[in-house]
Amino acid sequence: MMVSVFVGASVDGFIARPSGDLDWLPEGGGEPHGYHEFIATVDAIVIGRKTFEKVLTLGPWFYGDKRVVVLSTGPVDLSPAKGAVIEHMAGPPAEIVSQLAARGAHHLYVDGGVTIQRFLRAGLVNRLIITRVPVLIGDGIPLFGSLPHDVRLHHVAPRDFPSGLLQSEYHVVV
Ligand SMILES: NC(=O)c1ccc[n+]([C@@H]2O[C@H](COP(=O)([O-])OP(=O)(O)OC[C@H]3O[C@@H](n4cnc5c(N)ncnc54)[C@H](OP(=O)(O)O)[C@@H]3O)[C@@H](O)[C@H]2O)c1
């Protein structure tokens, strides 16, 4: 199973303001920076409950007919995600990965700060594609957190964009 992260972060390492606000991201996602090419290779998107709740506020269902798995330890009302292919799961990241692998998924896209951090801590992330937005927001929801040990990364390639976005792709060294 390939597990990827594809995320936009401020230069000071946040993925949202403390309130969850994303107003500092470029409008409309900014200039094309590979999201559509990336998402085309993904079999299922695994998001934390807080990311799910935020996505619901962004207008029509964002992920089209891609399979989405919402992680939460509690009940989740999936009904507002109109037209979505969506389910709720819970449990250790390794169990989530093995259940989705057993159902034929080969490539997972994991999203949400806490969710990414849990998959990283479990040693399940293979690839990180981080797009740095040229702004400091001072405080917010961090992309990264504590780890039980260092995670060595191989920097595959930087891509810079005229608007100032700077994207780095890292592969986790095993
Ligand atoms: N800049 C970007 O590219 C980007 C990308 C994604 C998200 N965001 C933003 O980040 C914010 C959300 O991130 P976040 O770190 O606060 O939260 P999150 O990772 O979206 O959600 C965390 C919640 O997910 C559930 N969860 C995670 N792993 C689980 C597991 N293995 N089993 C069961 N439940 C699990 C728990 O829900 P319960 O508490 O219900 O148990 C946990 O509290 C939002 O504002 C969103 O817009 C930004």
Side-chain angles (χ1 to χ4, degrees), residues 6-66:
F6 189 107
V7 71
S10 64
V11 169
D12 46 356
F14 300 109
I15 60 168
R17 293 195 193 276
S19 60
D21 219 320
L22 300 171
D23 60 318
W24 53 277
L25 285 174
E27 214 170 315
E31 68 193 292
H33 58 278
Y35 178 79
H36 295 293
E37 294 83 349
F38 166 76
I39 204 77
T41 69
V42 165
D43 298 313
I45 305 167
V46 179
I47 56 175
R49 189 252 311 161
K50 293 184 181 172
T51 294
F52 173 62
E53 288 172 353
K54 183 68 187 177
V55 166
L56 288 177
T57 69
L58 300 179
W61 182 239
F62 184 72
Y63 298 114
D65 58 3
K66 252 326 150 183

Side-chain angles (χ1 to χ4, degrees), residues 47-128:
I47 56 175
R49 189 252 311 161
K50 293 184 181 172
T51 294
F52 173 62
E53 288 172 353
K54 183 68 187 177
V55 166
L56 288 177
T57 69
L58 300 179
W61 182 239
F62 184 72
Y63 298 114
D65 58 3
K66 252 326 150 183
R67 191 199 302 181
V68 173
V69 176
V70 180
L71 300 183
S72 175
T73 53
V76 191
D77 179 9
L78 302 176
S79 63
K82 300 263 180 290
V85 180
I86 192 163
E87 65 189 291
H88 168 211
M89 289 176 76
E95 277 179 23
I96 308 287
V97 169
S98 59
Q99 283 182 45
L100 291 169
R103 285 157 48 189
H106 299 290
H107 186 192
L108 302 183
Y109 168 21
V110 174
D111 208 10
V114 164
T115 304
I116 292 168
Q117 289 165 30
R118 288 184 185 166
F119 275 72
L120 273 171
R121 276 202 289 275
L124 292 165
V125 175
N126 310 104
R127 183 164 70 138
L128 297 152

